[in-house]
Amino acid sequence: MVKLDISSRQMLDKIEELVLKAKQANSEDKVQGYVMAIKSLCEVMVDEKAANISIQKPITLTQPVMPATPNVEPVKMDEANGESLFDF
């Protein structure tokens, strides 16, 4: 998909041109055709502006979940003096 960058000024100039043609039209059908074209250009401008507005999503911070450690019996060693790491 190719995106064409058309300035708002160019769009407004085209709308103005269509308004002048609608004022000079000699039938109601032609006026309605120009009005529909103007409406379409206005919708494009509104949609383009809405697409350029960035919506910030709230950032949720979650705390990392630590896996549950199973109940493990401490290793018994004959050379150890006690259950603490600091018992020598």
Side-chain angles (χ1 to χ4, degrees):
M1 180 177 177
V2 177
K3 182 179 178 184
L4 300 175
D5 291 325
I6 301 172
S7 71
S8 296
R9 185 71 186 161
Q10 289 173 308
M11 296 285 280
L12 292 171
D13 288 344
K14 187 64 177 177
I15 291 169
E16 186 176 15
E17 177 186 324
L18 292 171
V19 168
L20 292 174
K21 287 181 179 181
K23 286 181 178 180
Q24 296 170 355
N26 54 9
S27 74
E28 191 62 31
D29 287 340
K30 286 185 178 183
V31 171
Q32 286 299 315
Y34 289 123
V35 169
M36 291 301 293
I38 293 165
K39 179 183 176 192
S40 297
L41 290 172
C42 291
E43 287 174 352
V44 168
M45 288 182 69
V46 169
D47 290 345
E48 182 69 24
K49 183 161 179 94
N52 287 335
I53 297 173
S54 64
I55 300 174
Q56 291 185 343
K57 295 181 181 177
I59 299 173
T60 56
L61 299 176
T62 58
Q63 202 169 20
V65 177
M66 301 300 280
T69 55
N71 292 335
V72 179
E73 291 292 322
V75 177
K76 303 284 183 186
M77 298 179 78
D78 293 334
E79 299 123 18
N81 293 334
E83 292 180 12
S84 172
L85 291 175
F86 299 107
D87 290 340
F88 297 104

